[in-house]
Structure formats: structure tokens, C-alpha cells
Amino acid sequence: MSTLVMNRFAKGAIAGAAGILLLLSGAGTFALWNGTASAAAGSVKSGTMTIATDTAAGSWSVVHGTGTSTPIADISTFRAVPGDVLTFTQNVKITAIGDNLSAILTVDPSTIKAANSASAADNALVAALKSGLSFAVTSPLPTGITAGTAANTYTVSGKAGAQTLTVAVQLPFDSTTTGTVAQGGTVDLSALGFTLAQQ
């Protein structure tokens, strides 16, 4: 066999081997069987959870000792004394929609603040009012809302839907306050907060 023929044979063998390597490495058109399928799985929608105070302003009332409840026309001009029990009533709008939704409704005590954080009287009045703080949703409780396991809380389920609740925040001025403690103090309630948090 001539050298020319042998060279052609060697070149052909090398080219063939290179082609096989390209196919095996995936660089060619060689492919395994495959297929796809789809299912009519529908669509997924999310629920809704919101809270907002009613546009109408809330109202204040006071009870002193064993007396009867008296409306307070203007809380800014009222001067509280130990033994007073102040109650703020407000309508709150909530929306709770979700198959497995469970949320806690309560008042946020941190929003009851001293008008002047550097004032001893202001801070003492905050402490005196917050010591007996309570929060309640007016009975009968609406659908999807039950009393919570912790004090001053209510559990709201996804069955509650959209509702307007009447809530009451009670601030008893500690009757054991003595001396001149908290006299002349001012508490800032301009941003009294209510929270609805998923649990």
C-alpha cells in the first residue's frame, strides 16, 4: 500500500473518531427521547388582611369610683385624677379573608406616650394609666372573632370577612397614686394604635 493511501486512511480514521467524540459530548445533534405533559391545575388566589380606623372620630367617657359613666365632650380640656377610669371607644374596620388565616387584634400600648419624654410628671401619668390598660371588642362578637388566649387580644379568622368593629380602650388612673405623683402630667394619645397581625 502506498504512503499516499495510508495517509488518507489515517486522516479518515482521525476524522471519524473526532465526529464520535463530538456526538458523545453533546456538541452534535444526537439526543435522547423526551416528552412533556400539562395539567389543568387552575389558579391560586391570595387572601386579604387589613385594618383601619373609621373616618368618624372616637369618643371618651369617664367613671369615677362607683359612679356612672359620663361622656367627655373634649378630652383635651378634661383633667383626670386618681380613681378615674377613662374609656375611649372607636369603630375599626377590618378585612380578614383566607382559608388558613388567623390573626391577633389588640391595642398597641407603645402608642400611649408622654407628651414630653423628659417630663417626670408626663412619664408618671403614662405609667399610672397603662398599669390597668384593657382592650375589648363590643359584644356580641362578630363572626370569625373570638377572645384570645392572652389578655387584651382577640383572634380573627379568615372567615371574618369585611366588618366594622366597635372597640374600647380602658385607661384606669391608678387609685393608689399618692403625693404629687403624675400631677400636671400630659399623655399623648394622638396616634393610639390598633394592630392586626397574622400568627
Side-chain angles (χ1 to χ4, degrees):
M1 184 180 297
S2 68
T3 303
L4 179 60
V5 173
M6 289 186 68
N7 286 341
R8 289 178 177 174
F9 177 79
K11 289 180 180 179
I14 292 171
I20 293 172
L21 287 174
L22 287 172
L23 288 172
L24 291 177
S25 65
T29 58
F30 177 76
L32 298 176
W33 284 354
N34 63 78
T36 61
S38 63
S43 58
V44 176
K45 294 182 179 180
S46 59
T48 305
M49 191 185 79
T50 62
I51 183 171
T53 52
D54 194 76
T55 53
S59 61
W60 283 94
S61 62
V62 62
V63 174
H64 185 81
T66 58
T68 58
S69 178
T70 303
I72 300 174
D74 185 354
I75 191 64
S76 66
T77 63
F78 183 81
R79 299 294 180 262
V81 298
D84 282 346
V85 178
L86 300 168
T87 300
F88 178 68
T89 304
Q90 173 74 54
N91 286 340
V92 174
K93 296 179 178 181
I94 67 164
T95 301
I97 301 171
D99 286 51
N100 291 312
L101 180 61
S102 179
I104 296 297
L105 173 67
T106 189
V107 65
D108 183 359
S110 69
T111 59
I112 302 173
K113 301 178 178 181
N116 179 359
S117 60
S119 167
D122 289 6
N123 287 310
L125 183 57
V126 169
L129 292 178
K130 288 173 66 173
S131 62
L133 168 72
S134 66
F135 170 77
V137 176
T138 302
S139 296
L141 294 179
T143 301
I145 299 176
T146 57
T149 55
N152 301 322
T153 65
Y154 288 81
T155 301
V156 179
S157 77
K159 295 180 180 179
Q163 300 194 45
T164 298
L165 312 176
T166 301
V167 301
V169 179
Q170 199 170 77
L171 300 169
F173 193 154
D174 189 355
S175 60
T176 63
T177 304
T178 59
T180 59
V181 174
Q183 288 189 17
T186 302
V187 172
D188 181 7
L189 295 167
S190 60
L192 181 64
F194 304 95
T195 62
L196 183 63
Q198 184 180 358
Q199 60 173 345

